[in-house]
Amino acid sequence: VIIFGAMKHSVEKLAKELCSHGIKAESIHGNKSHGQRQNSLRTFKSGNARVLVATDVAARGIHVDNVSHVINYDLPNTFEDYVHRIGRTGRGTMRGEALTVVPKH
């Protein structure tokens, strides 16, 4: 599962919250160095983390096989960002689900 959030600090907080509930999660955002982002991605790709929580820095240019779900925890800023986010699942002949959380105000 990849969960997309809007801000670096909320992405990091959500990843830590998931871990505190026994869900192995990694985060990718702009406050991490390139090496830290690569390590998080490697951990997720290897299956040692079930969830990757990311800002839009991860929406483009990464490929991870067998992502079953993409969750838009925060709404993307543009339609193009939305398309890049949900394109992380259902790649090739695989099926995937994309969910978007829309807060009621």
Side-chain angles (χ1 to χ4, degrees), residues 39-51:
N39 188 50
S40 291
L41 186 58
R42 198 171 20 259
T43 301
F44 179 65
K45 282 183 170 184
S46 71
N48 289 322
R50 295 189 61 199
V51 177

Side-chain angles (χ1 to χ4, degrees), residues 16-36:
K16 287 179 180 178
E17 185 72 21
L18 289 167
C19 288
S20 75
H21 285 82
I23 299 168
K24 293 181 181 178
E26 287 288 329
S27 66
I28 293 181
H29 51 74
N31 277 359
K32 287 192 167 190
S33 69
H34 178 71
Q36 290 172 315

Side-chain angles (χ1 to χ4, degrees), residues 32-74:
K32 287 192 167 190
S33 69
H34 178 71
Q36 290 172 315
R37 290 192 302 264
Q38 292 292 55
N39 188 50
S40 291
L41 186 58
R42 198 171 20 259
T43 301
F44 179 65
K45 282 183 170 184
S46 71
N48 289 322
R50 295 189 61 199
V51 177
L52 180 66
V53 186
T55 59
D56 284 327
V57 73
R60 301 176 193 216
I62 67 163
H63 173 74
V64 180
D65 291 327
N66 303 318
V67 173
S68 63
H69 292 77
V70 166
I71 299 171
N72 291 299
Y73 187 75
D74 293 315

